[in-house]
Amino acid sequence: MEKGLISVDRWSGESQAYFLTHLHSDHTNGLSSSWSKAPIFCSRLTAKLFPFKFPDFNLSLLRIVRIGSWHSVSLLSPSSGSKTVVQFMAIDAHHCPGAVMFLFRGDFGCLLYTGDFRWETTSDRAELGRNMLLNALNDSAVDILYLDNTYCNPLYDFPPREVAAQQVLDIIASHPDHDIIIGIDSLGKEDLLLHISRVLNIKIWVWPERLQTMHLLGYDEIFTTKTSLTRVRAVPRYSFSVETLDGLNTMRPTIGIMPSGLPWSVKPSEGNKNLFGSLLTARYSKSKWIGNGGVQTDEPNGSLDSPGRLHKHIYSVSYSDHSSFSEIEKFIKLVQPINMKGIVSSSCCYVDPMYYFGRLRGVNQPGQRLHQKHKRKERDEITLGTKSTFGRNFSTEVERKRGRSVKVKLLRVQSSRVSACRRVRSGAKIVDDDYTD
DNA sequence: GCGATCAGGT
DNA sequence: CACACCTGATCGC
């Protein structure tokens, strides 16, 4: 086909080489165990985790890309049919285990695709990442930066993960006799859990599948699936809700901590009316946490004005694996791309990074003409994944309201073999595992 | 009965 | 309001 040279995090078209930045499922839509189109380039750690997500995948199709080295692949130019070489380098994206950015050079120019990334500036690891990127760029211009623009808005202001991790520890320390539930996904936030484990000298419960992942990542002693060994449990985020926490509290005093990009409130719902639906109680500002103090509730146990407190049993901490607005800004200043484009798009929330950062683009560049040329080439030959919820908003009101039944997650009876297997696999049966053994 | 896809949730 | 990902329905095979 005419437009198929390479694809990044995009699996639907016909390309000659495919690149995977990381294994979160919003970047693997369309990828499956039966994949056979062409080789997939990814980091070593992603390759290691790969079979776990895609059990019967033909691993001979994976190409491990060593981080920080240039690699090349020879392909056929879709337009001319002649040989063309694409050079590429993987750079640590500091997002989740195995996550990398890809820097490409070829006839199309120089492209940097960040995938999801966090660009902290305070840690040693961040310093290494910065140096690696600078070495890779080696003063040459990035024609197009494809940017993780998830939090590309000045409202999105949160601390480095080290600081957020301390906030989590503070919350735990202030609840010495509580069980602690932390909501996480299938990959990511391991450093937070390791930090908690180290500081409190305690094991951390995870669901069985997550334990396997932890073992693949090389963490052998820290995590456990035995509830009796610890009061701190990391549970799938989707099983973390007001109802879950209320239910758990009928058995033991328990608080939930949601490490998440932003201290947005939980969903509006009956009985929680005054709490929800707006920007929340605390946010990180100018190097310290402030409570907004304006949230009044009828909470009988006292005010919810401690930082991040969302609900009598739930805290939200801004522990994010995506870059904050100011980090995005620093990154763009460093890269000085000639042009850029957000990879996170949705019909209602897409923020074009050019809106805030257009002025930060590289200077002394030939400008639009060169850019246009590359852009055309890129559009023809490179296929890039974007996250999108576009389309969902077109469903009718009738469809949206159709047939929703209220679920009682804690006590739900397994309704089918297939869904039972799914739940067990994903650890949703947390309460059964915890309290009926 | 199966995987892929979609809508609708947490 | 974001993100990541679960569940159930439906469709094509």
Side-chain angles (χ1 to χ4, degrees):
Chain A
M1 63 181 273
E2 247 345 86
K3 57 171 187 179
L5 196 61
I6 59 175
S7 295
V8 186
D9 289 353
R10 181 72 173 234
W11 315 98
S12 52
E14 301 299 322
S15 291
Q16 295 167 58
Y18 292 80
F19 290 80
L20 172 62
T21 60
H22 67 289
L23 272 174
H24 280 155
S25 50
D26 52 337
H27 290 252
T28 59
N29 283 332
L31 190 54
S32 72
S33 290
S34 58
W35 175 266
S36 61
K37 286 184 186 178
I40 297 174
F41 294 86
C42 65
S43 69
R44 180 175 302 281
L45 192 46
T46 293
K48 189 171 180 182
L49 295 164
F50 209 97
F52 194 63
K53 184 148 183 132
F54 301 108
D56 300 320
F57 191 89
N58 174 6
L59 293 176
S60 70
L61 287 168
L62 288 189
R63 303 281 183 274
I64 292 172
V65 183
R66 203 149 69 94
I67 291 174
S69 311
W70 281 105
H71 303 258
S72 68
V73 61
S74 186
L75 305 172
L76 290 179
S77 165
S79 45
S80 68
S82 57
K83 199 179 102 168
T84 183
V85 172
V86 176
Q87 293 182 293
F88 54 94
M89 183 189 285
I91 297 163
D92 194 342
H94 304 149
H95 174 65
C96 70
V100 292
M101 320 183 203
F102 284 110
L103 180 61
F104 297 98
R105 285 188 214 271
D107 292 339
F108 44 77
C110 181
L111 310 179
L112 177 57
Y113 187 95
T114 65
D116 290 348
F117 82 120
R118 178 96 204 232
W119 197 250
E120 286 159 336
T121 52
T122 52
S123 67
D124 291 347
R125 191 185 176 207
E127 183 64 22
L128 284 172
R130 180 190 157 88
N131 288 335
M132 183 176 294
L133 181 61
L134 284 174
N135 285 336
L137 293 177
N138 193 26
D139 290 331
S140 70
V142 170
D143 295 300
I144 307 178
L145 170 64
Y146 290 90
L147 179 73
D148 172 10
N149 56 319
T150 303
Y151 294 133
C152 190
N153 184 307
L155 280 175
Y156 298 146
D157 180 24
F158 43 76
R161 284 172 288 197
E162 284 181 16
V163 174
Q166 187 57 50
Q167 290 165 2
V168 171
L169 281 170
D170 291 344
I171 293 168
I172 296 175
S174 67
H175 295 83
D177 300 318
H178 281 68
D179 278 8
I180 311 289
I181 297 289
I182 301 173
I184 60 169
D185 292 313
S186 61
L187 201 58
K189 308 214 161 65
E190 290 77 12
D191 288 345
L192 171 63
L193 302 180
L194 290 173
H195 188 63
I196 293 168
S197 171
R198 199 177 321 118
V199 172
L200 300 181
N201 191 27
I202 195 173
K203 283 183 187 286
I204 295 185
W205 183 95
V206 290
W207 62 101
E209 278 225 326
R210 199 57 156 98
L211 185 67
Q212 289 187 50
T213 302
M214 294 304 193
H215 288 164
L216 280 172
L217 294 172
Y219 309 127
D220 290 329
E221 304 299 327
I222 295 162
F223 299 97
T224 178
T225 52
K226 291 200 171 94
T227 337
S228 59
L229 296 184
T230 178
R231 69 183 178 105
V232 179
R233 305 200 292 283
V235 306
R237 189 163 53 162
Y238 67 86
S239 70
F240 184 112
S241 67
V242 170
E243 290 75 25
T244 312
L245 267 297
D246 285 347
L248 290 170
N249 271 280
T250 65
M251 294 175 273
R252 294 160 176 271
T254 303
I255 59 161
I257 301 174
M258 182 58 81
S260 156
L262 279 181
W264 293 110
S265 65
V266 291
K267 266 226 167 119
S269 66
E270 295 304 313
N272 295 321
K273 291 183 184 111
N274 354 3
L275 277 182
F276 305 120
S278 62
L279 244 188
L280 214 234
T281 54
R283 61 192 273 282
Y284 184 76
S285 176
K286 308 283 183 208
S287 80
K288 64 169 187 183
W289 272 86
I290 52 173
N292 79 358
V295 177
Q296 296 299 321
T297 77
D298 55 2
E299 167 54 42
N301 297 340
S303 75
L304 301 180
D305 59 5
S306 54
R309 193 163 182 190
L310 282 187
H311 171 266
K312 72 184 146 171
H313 307 307
I314 298 180
Y315 291 79
S316 169
V317 175
S318 288
Y319 187 103
S320 171
D321 285 329
H322 295 271
S323 297
S324 68
F325 182 78
S326 65
E327 290 168 357
I328 293 174
E329 183 174 34
K330 282 175 191 139
F331 185 77
I332 293 170
K333 280 180 174 165
L334 185 70
V335 174
Q336 294 193 30
I338 293 169
N339 219 322
M340 61 185 144
K341 208 168 168 180
I343 62 172
V344 182
S345 68
S346 80
S347 56
C348 56
C349 313
Y350 175 80
V351 177
D352 186 342
M354 295 295 280
Y355 179 78
Y356 288 114
F357 298 125
R359 66 192 159 78
L360 298 182
R361 279 181 296 165
V363 290
N364 303 325
Q365 302 298 339
Q368 285 305 98
R369 228 172 318 151
L370 177 64
H371 156 62
Q372 289 300 346
K373 181 185 128 206
H374 287 147
K375 192 172 177 180
R376 259 198 71 219
K377 192 99 177 181
E378 171 273 324
R379 199 186 294 133
D380 287 348
E381 299 188 348
I382 316 284
T383 311
L384 301 159
T386 56
K387 310 179 185 190
S388 176
T389 54
F390 202 81
R392 181 179 295 188
N393 294 334
F394 291 95
S395 59
T396 65
E397 207 53 32
V398 173
E399 284 168 332
R400 227 176 277 137
K401 287 176 179 167
R402 176 176 39 137
R404 300 316 313 157
S405 58
V406 177
K407 290 174 196 159
V408 184
K409 191 185 303 262
L410 278 172
L411 305 173
R412 181 161 64 185
V413 176
Q414 293 166 3
S415 57
S416 80
R417 204 172 134 69
V418 171
S419 60
C421 288
R422 275 184 182 169
R423 281 201 294 276
V424 168
R425 219 173 347 112
S426 58
K429 249 179 41 135
I430 53 170
V431 175
D432 293 353
D433 291 347
D434 287 351
Y435 295 102
T436 61
D437 281 352

mmCIF file with all atom_site columns, all heavy atoms in Angstrom, chain A residues 75-94:
data_model
loop_
_atom_site.group_PDB
_atom_site.id
_atom_site.type_symbol
_atom_site.label_atom_id
_atom_site.label_alt_id
_atom_site.label_comp_id
_atom_site.label_asym_id
_atom_site.label_entity_id
_atom_site.label_seq_id
_atom_site.pdbx_PDB_ins_code
_atom_site.Cartn_x
_atom_site.Cartn_y
_atom_site.Cartn_z
_atom_site.occupancy
_atom_site.B_iso_or_equiv
_atom_site.pdbx_formal_charge
_atom_site.auth_seq_id
_atom_site.auth_comp_id
_atom_site.auth_asym_id
_atom_site.auth_atom_id
_atom_site.pdbx_PDB_model_num
ATOM 1   N N   . LEU A 1 75 ? 13.851 -0.780 4.408  1.00 0.00 ? 75 LEU A N   1
ATOM 2   C CA  . LEU A 1 75 ? 12.481 -1.016 3.951  1.00 0.00 ? 75 LEU A CA  1
ATOM 3   C C   . LEU A 1 75 ? 12.332 -0.538 2.515  1.00 0.00 ? 75 LEU A C   1
ATOM 4   O O   . LEU A 1 75 ? 13.261 0.030  1.935  1.00 0.00 ? 75 LEU A O   1
ATOM 5   C CB  . LEU A 1 75 ? 11.499 -0.258 4.861  1.00 0.00 ? 75 LEU A CB  1
ATOM 6   C CG  . LEU A 1 75 ? 11.601 -0.547 6.363  1.00 0.00 ? 75 LEU A CG  1
ATOM 7   C CD1 . LEU A 1 75 ? 10.708 0.408  7.146  1.00 0.00 ? 75 LEU A CD1 1
ATOM 8   C CD2 . LEU A 1 75 ? 11.236 -1.992 6.671  1.00 0.00 ? 75 LEU A CD2 1
ATOM 9   N N   . LEU A 1 76 ? 11.179 -0.795 1.962  1.00 0.00 ? 76 LEU A N   1
ATOM 10  C CA  . LEU A 1 76 ? 10.903 -0.319 0.609  1.00 0.00 ? 76 LEU A CA  1
ATOM 11  C C   . LEU A 1 76 ? 10.027 0.930  0.696  1.00 0.00 ? 76 LEU A C   1
ATOM 12  O O   . LEU A 1 76 ? 8.980  0.918  1.336  1.00 0.00 ? 76 LEU A O   1
ATOM 13  C CB  . LEU A 1 76 ? 10.169 -1.389 -0.198 1.00 0.00 ? 76 LEU A CB  1
ATOM 14  C CG  . LEU A 1 76 ? 10.993 -2.624 -0.575 1.00 0.00 ? 76 LEU A CG  1
ATOM 15  C CD1 . LEU A 1 76 ? 10.143 -3.605 -1.354 1.00 0.00 ? 76 LEU A CD1 1
ATOM 16  C CD2 . LEU A 1 76 ? 12.229 -2.221 -1.387 1.00 0.00 ? 76 LEU A CD2 1
ATOM 17  N N   . SER A 1 77 ? 10.461 1.958  0.046  1.00 0.00 ? 77 SER A N   1
ATOM 18  C CA  . SER A 1 77 ? 9.649  3.170  0.021  1.00 0.00 ? 77 SER A CA  1
ATOM 19  C C   . SER A 1 77 ? 8.329  2.884  -0.686 1.00 0.00 ? 77 SER A C   1
ATOM 20  O O   . SER A 1 77 ? 8.318  2.426  -1.821 1.00 0.00 ? 77 SER A O   1
ATOM 21  C CB  . SER A 1 77 ? 10.391 4.284  -0.712 1.00 0.00 ? 77 SER A CB  1
ATOM 22  O OG  . SER A 1 77 ? 9.480  5.326  -1.024 1.00 0.00 ? 77 SER A OG  1
ATOM 23  N N   . PRO A 1 78 ? 7.238  3.123  -0.018 1.00 0.00 ? 78 PRO A N   1
ATOM 24  C CA  . PRO A 1 78 ? 5.948  2.795  -0.628 1.00 0.00 ? 78 PRO A CA  1
ATOM 25  C C   . PRO A 1 78 ? 5.704  3.594  -1.902 1.00 0.00 ? 78 PRO A C   1
ATOM 26  O O   . PRO A 1 78 ? 5.036  3.116  -2.807 1.00 0.00 ? 78 PRO A O   1
ATOM 27  C CB  . PRO A 1 78 ? 4.939  3.197  0.457  1.00 0.00 ? 78 PRO A CB  1
ATOM 28  C CG  . PRO A 1 78 ? 5.714  3.244  1.713  1.00 0.00 ? 78 PRO A CG  1
ATOM 29  C CD  . PRO A 1 78 ? 7.098  3.664  1.329  1.00 0.00 ? 78 PRO A CD  1
ATOM 30  N N   . SER A 1 79 ? 6.266  4.788  -1.966 1.00 0.00 ? 79 SER A N   1
ATOM 31  C CA  . SER A 1 79 ? 6.000  5.614  -3.146 1.00 0.00 ? 79 SER A CA  1
ATOM 32  C C   . SER A 1 79 ? 6.896  5.250  -4.325 1.00 0.00 ? 79 SER A C   1
ATOM 33  O O   . SER A 1 79 ? 6.420  5.058  -5.439 1.00 0.00 ? 79 SER A O   1
ATOM 34  C CB  . SER A 1 79 ? 6.164  7.092  -2.781 1.00 0.00 ? 79 SER A CB  1
ATOM 35  O OG  . SER A 1 79 ? 7.334  7.280  -2.018 1.00 0.00 ? 79 SER A OG  1
ATOM 36  N N   . SER A 1 80 ? 8.188  5.109  -4.061 1.00 0.00 ? 80 SER A N   1
ATOM 37  C CA  . SER A 1 80 ? 9.099  4.879  -5.180 1.00 0.00 ? 80 SER A CA  1
ATOM 38  C C   . SER A 1 80 ? 9.427  3.398  -5.397 1.00 0.00 ? 80 SER A C   1
ATOM 39  O O   . SER A 1 80 ? 9.884  3.015  -6.460 1.00 0.00 ? 80 SER A O   1
ATOM 40  C CB  . SER A 1 80 ? 10.405 5.642  -4.942 1.00 0.00 ? 80 SER A CB  1
ATOM 41  O OG  . SER A 1 80 ? 11.093 5.051  -3.855 1.00 0.00 ? 80 SER A OG  1
ATOM 42  N N   . GLY A 1 81 ? 9.224  2.582  -4.376 1.00 0.00 ? 81 GLY A N   1
ATOM 43  C CA  . GLY A 1 81 ? 9.563  1.173  -4.501 1.00 0.00 ? 81 GLY A CA  1
ATOM 44  C C   . GLY A 1 81 ? 11.033 0.887  -4.280 1.00 0.00 ? 81 GLY A C   1
ATOM 45  O O   . GLY A 1 81 ? 11.462 -0.266 -4.283 1.00 0.00 ? 81 GLY A O   1
ATOM 46  N N   . SER A 1 82 ? 11.804 1.933  -4.067 1.00 0.00 ? 82 SER A N   1
ATOM 47  C CA  . SER A 1 82 ? 13.233 1.699  -3.859 1.00 0.00 ? 82 SER A CA  1
ATOM 48  C C   . SER A 1 82 ? 13.546 1.551  -2.377 1.00 0.00 ? 82 SER A C   1
ATOM 49  O O   . SER A 1 82 ? 12.741 1.898  -1.509 1.00 0.00 ? 82 SER A O   1
ATOM 50  C CB  . SER A 1 82 ? 14.038 2.852  -4.462 1.00 0.00 ? 82 SER A CB  1
ATOM 51  O OG  . SER A 1 82 ? 13.617 4.062  -3.881 1.00 0.00 ? 82 SER A OG  1
ATOM 52  N N   . LYS A 1 83 ? 14.735 1.043  -2.132 1.00 0.00 ? 83 LYS A N   1
ATOM 53  C CA  . LYS A 1 83 ? 15.151 0.792  -0.760 1.00 0.00 ? 83 LYS A CA  1
ATOM 54  C C   . LYS A 1 83 ? 15.293 2.096  0.013  1.00 0.00 ? 83 LYS A C   1
ATOM 55  O O   . LYS A 1 83 ? 15.800 3.085  -0.521 1.00 0.00 ? 83 LYS A O   1
ATOM 56  C CB  . LYS A 1 83 ? 16.489 0.057  -0.777 1.00 0.00 ? 83 LYS A CB  1
ATOM 57  C CG  . LYS A 1 83 ? 16.815 -0.648 0.526  1.00 0.00 ? 83 LYS A CG  1
ATOM 58  C CD  . LYS A 1 83 ? 18.139 -1.367 0.421  1.00 0.00 ? 83 LYS A CD  1
ATOM 59  C CE  . LYS A 1 83 ? 19.221 -0.554 1.113  1.00 0.00 ? 83 LYS A CE  1
ATOM 60  N NZ  . LYS A 1 83 ? 20.480 -1.292 1.304  1.00 0.00 ? 83 LYS A NZ  1
ATOM 61  N N   . THR A 1 84 ? 14.852 2.058  1.243  1.00 0.00 ? 84 THR A N   1
ATOM 62  C CA  . THR A 1 84 ? 15.035 3.233  2.099  1.00 0.00 ? 84 THR A CA  1
ATOM 63  C C   . THR A 1 84 ? 15.376 2.759  3.500  1.00 0.00 ? 84 THR A C   1
ATOM 64  O O   . THR A 1 84 ? 14.862 1.741  3.959  1.00 0.00 ? 84 THR A O   1
ATOM 65  C CB  . THR A 1 84 ? 13.778 4.127  2.104  1.00 0.00 ? 84 THR A CB  1
ATOM 66  O OG1 . THR A 1 84 ? 14.032 5.284  2.877  1.00 0.00 ? 84 THR A OG1 1
ATOM 67  C CG2 . THR A 1 84 ? 12.586 3.390  2.696  1.00 0.00 ? 84 THR A CG2 1
ATOM 68  N N   . VAL A 1 85 ? 16.273 3.461  4.139  1.00 0.00 ? 85 VAL A N   1
ATOM 69  C CA  . VAL A 1 85 ? 16.718 3.048  5.470  1.00 0.00 ? 85 VAL A CA  1
ATOM 70  C C   . VAL A 1 85 ? 16.082 3.941  6.526  1.00 0.00 ? 85 VAL A C   1
ATOM 71  O O   . VAL A 1 85 ? 16.068 5.165  6.397  1.00 0.00 ? 85 VAL A O   1
ATOM 72  C CB  . VAL A 1 85 ? 18.254 3.108  5.577  1.00 0.00 ? 85 VAL A CB  1
ATOM 73  C CG1 . VAL A 1 85 ? 18.697 2.862  7.016  1.00 0.00 ? 85 VAL A CG1 1
ATOM 74  C CG2 . VAL A 1 85 ? 18.888 2.078  4.653  1.00 0.00 ? 85 VAL A CG2 1
ATOM 75  N N   . VAL A 1 86 ? 15.532 3.309  7.534  1.00 0.00 ? 86 VAL A N   1
ATOM 76  C CA  . VAL A 1 86 ? 15.004 4.047  8.684  1.00 0.00 ? 86 VAL A CA  1
ATOM 77  C C   . VAL A 1 86 ? 15.890 3.758  9.881  1.00 0.00 ? 86 VAL A C   1
ATOM 78  O O   . VAL A 1 86 ? 16.113 2.599  10.228 1.00 0.00 ? 86 VAL A O   1
ATOM 79  C CB  . VAL A 1 86 ? 13.551 3.629  8.990  1.00 0.00 ? 86 VAL A CB  1
ATOM 80  C CG1 . VAL A 1 86 ? 13.050 4.334  10.239 1.00 0.00 ? 86 VAL A CG1 1
ATOM 81  C CG2 . VAL A 1 86 ? 12.645 3.920  7.807  1.00 0.00 ? 86 VAL A CG2 1
ATOM 82  N N   . GLN A 1 87 ? 16.406 4.819  10.471 1.00 0.00 ? 87 GLN A N   1
ATOM 83  C CA  . GLN A 1 87 ? 17.186 4.657  11.702 1.00 0.00 ? 87 GLN A CA  1
ATOM 84  C C   . GLN A 1 87 ? 16.294 5.002  12.883 1.00 0.00 ? 87 GLN A C   1
ATOM 85  O O   . GLN A 1 87 ? 15.428 5.876  12.771 1.00 0.00 ? 87 GLN A O   1
ATOM 86  C CB  . GLN A 1 87 ? 18.381 5.613  11.697 1.00 0.00 ? 87 GLN A CB  1
ATOM 87  C CG  . GLN A 1 87 ? 19.407 5.282  10.643 1.00 0.00 ? 87 GLN A CG  1
ATOM 88  C CD  . GLN A 1 87 ? 20.568 6.249  10.754 1.00 0.00 ? 87 GLN A CD  1
ATOM 89  O OE1 . GLN A 1 87 ? 20.410 7.434  10.488 1.00 0.00 ? 87 GLN A OE1 1
ATOM 90  N NE2 . GLN A 1 87 ? 21.720 5.742  11.159 1.00 0.00 ? 87 GLN A NE2 1
ATOM 91  N N   . PHE A 1 88 ? 16.522 4.328  13.984 1.00 0.00 ? 88 PHE A N   1
ATOM 92  C CA  . PHE A 1 88 ? 15.671 4.608  15.137 1.00 0.00 ? 88 PHE A CA  1
ATOM 93  C C   . PHE A 1 88 ? 16.411 4.339  16.436 1.00 0.00 ? 88 PHE A C   1
ATOM 94  O O   . PHE A 1 88 ? 17.322 3.515  16.499 1.00 0.00 ? 88 PHE A O   1
ATOM 95  C CB  . PHE A 1 88 ? 14.375 3.788  15.080 1.00 0.00 ? 88 PHE A CB  1
ATOM 96  C CG  . PHE A 1 88 ? 14.590 2.312  14.917 1.00 0.00 ? 88 PHE A CG  1
ATOM 97  C CD1 . PHE A 1 88 ? 14.629 1.475  16.026 1.00 0.00 ? 88 PHE A CD1 1
ATOM 98  C CD2 . PHE A 1 88 ? 14.748 1.747  13.648 1.00 0.00 ? 88 PHE A CD2 1
ATOM 99  C CE1 . PHE A 1 88 ? 14.819 0.108  15.880 1.00 0.00 ? 88 PHE A CE1 1
ATOM 100 C CE2 . PHE A 1 88 ? 14.936 0.385  13.493 1.00 0.00 ? 88 PHE A CE2 1
ATOM 101 C CZ  . PHE A 1 88 ? 14.975 -0.439 14.607 1.00 0.00 ? 88 PHE A CZ  1
ATOM 102 N N   . MET A 1 89 ? 16.000 5.039  17.446 1.00 0.00 ? 89 MET A N   1
ATOM 103 C CA  . MET A 1 89 ? 16.549 4.830  18.784 1.00 0.00 ? 89 MET A CA  1
ATOM 104 C C   . MET A 1 89 ? 15.415 4.824  19.791 1.00 0.00 ? 89 MET A C   1
ATOM 105 O O   . MET A 1 89 ? 14.477 5.612  19.680 1.00 0.00 ? 89 MET A O   1
ATOM 106 C CB  . MET A 1 89 ? 17.533 5.956  19.136 1.00 0.00 ? 89 MET A CB  1
ATOM 107 C CG  . MET A 1 89 ? 18.200 5.747  20.507 1.00 0.00 ? 89 MET A CG  1
ATOM 108 S SD  . MET A 1 89 ? 19.169 7.161  21.072 1.00 0.00 ? 89 MET A SD  1
ATOM 109 C CE  . MET A 1 89 ? 20.612 7.048  20.075 1.00 0.00 ? 89 MET A CE  1
ATOM 110 N N   . ALA A 1 90 ? 15.513 3.934  20.753 1.00 0.00 ? 90 ALA A N   1
ATOM 111 C CA  . ALA A 1 90 ? 14.556 3.920  21.861 1.00 0.00 ? 90 ALA A CA  1
ATOM 112 C C   . ALA A 1 90 ? 15.158 4.678  23.041 1.00 0.00 ? 90 ALA A C   1
ATOM 113 O O   . ALA A 1 90 ? 16.344 4.536  23.326 1.00 0.00 ? 90 ALA A O   1
ATOM 114 C CB  . ALA A 1 90 ? 14.232 2.490  22.269 1.00 0.00 ? 90 ALA A CB  1
ATOM 115 N N   . ILE A 1 91 ? 14.337 5.485  23.670 1.00 0.00 ? 91 ILE A N   1
ATOM 116 C CA  . ILE A 1 91 ? 14.776 6.285  24.811 1.00 0.00 ? 91 ILE A CA  1
ATOM 117 C C   . ILE A 1 91 ? 13.784 6.079  25.950 1.00 0.00 ? 91 ILE A C   1
ATOM 118 O O   . ILE A 1 91 ? 12.568 6.073  25.722 1.00 0.00 ? 91 ILE A O   1
ATOM 119 C CB  . ILE A 1 91 ? 14.838 7.776  24.421 1.00 0.00 ? 91 ILE A CB  1
ATOM 120 C CG1 . ILE A 1 91 ? 15.879 7.979  23.322 1.00 0.00 ? 91 ILE A CG1 1
ATOM 121 C CG2 . ILE A 1 91 ? 15.126 8.655  25.623 1.00 0.00 ? 91 ILE A CG2 1
ATOM 122 C CD1 . ILE A 1 91 ? 15.751 9.294  22.583 1.00 0.00 ? 91 ILE A CD1 1
ATOM 123 N N   . ASP A 1 92 ? 14.298 5.893  27.142 1.00 0.00 ? 92 ASP A N   1
ATOM 124 C CA  . ASP A 1 92 ? 13.433 5.643  28.303 1.00 0.00 ? 92 ASP A CA  1
ATOM 125 C C   . ASP A 1 92 ? 12.366 6.726  28.435 1.00 0.00 ? 92 ASP A C   1
ATOM 126 O O   . ASP A 1 92 ? 12.678 7.913  28.474 1.00 0.00 ? 92 ASP A O   1
ATOM 127 C CB  . ASP A 1 92 ? 14.301 5.605  29.566 1.00 0.00 ? 92 ASP A CB  1
ATOM 128 C CG  . ASP A 1 92 ? 13.566 5.014  30.755 1.00 0.00 ? 92 ASP A CG  1
ATOM 129 O OD1 . ASP A 1 92 ? 12.320 4.958  30.716 1.00 0.00 ? 92 ASP A OD1 1
ATOM 130 O OD2 . ASP A 1 92 ? 14.241 4.605  31.717 1.00 0.00 ? 92 ASP A OD2 1
ATOM 131 N N   . ALA A 1 93 ? 11.113 6.296  28.509 1.00 0.00 ? 93 ALA A N   1
ATOM 132 C CA  . ALA A 1 93 ? 10.010 7.257  28.606 1.00 0.00 ? 93 ALA A CA  1
ATOM 133 C C   . ALA A 1 93 ? 9.572  7.504  30.045 1.00 0.00 ? 93 ALA A C   1
ATOM 134 O O   . ALA A 1 93 ? 8.721  8.355  30.297 1.00 0.00 ? 93 ALA A O   1
ATOM 135 C CB  . ALA A 1 93 ? 8.816  6.761  27.786 1.00 0.00 ? 93 ALA A CB  1
ATOM 136 N N   . HIS A 1 94 ? 10.126 6.749  30.993 1.00 0.00 ? 94 HIS A N   1
ATOM 137 C CA  . HIS A 1 94 ? 9.808  6.936  32.414 1.00 0.00 ? 94 HIS A CA  1
ATOM 138 C C   . HIS A 1 94 ? 8.303  6.886  32.677 1.00 0.00 ? 94 HIS A C   1
ATOM 139 O O   . HIS A 1 94 ? 7.805  7.612  33.531 1.00 0.00 ? 94 HIS A O   1
ATOM 140 C CB  . HIS A 1 94 ? 10.386 8.260  32.935 1.00 0.00 ? 94 HIS A CB  1
ATOM 141 C CG  . HIS A 1 94 ? 11.859 8.374  32.731 1.00 0.00 ? 94 HIS A CG  1
ATOM 142 N ND1 . HIS A 1 94 ? 12.511 9.555  32.515 1.00 0.00 ? 94 HIS A ND1 1
ATOM 143 C CD2 . HIS A 1 94 ? 12.825 7.424  32.692 1.00 0.00 ? 94 HIS A CD2 1
ATOM 144 C CE1 . HIS A 1 94 ? 13.807 9.347  32.357 1.00 0.00 ? 94 HIS A CE1 1
ATOM 145 N NE2 . HIS A 1 94 ? 14.009 8.052  32.456 1.00 0.00 ? 94 HIS A NE2 1
#
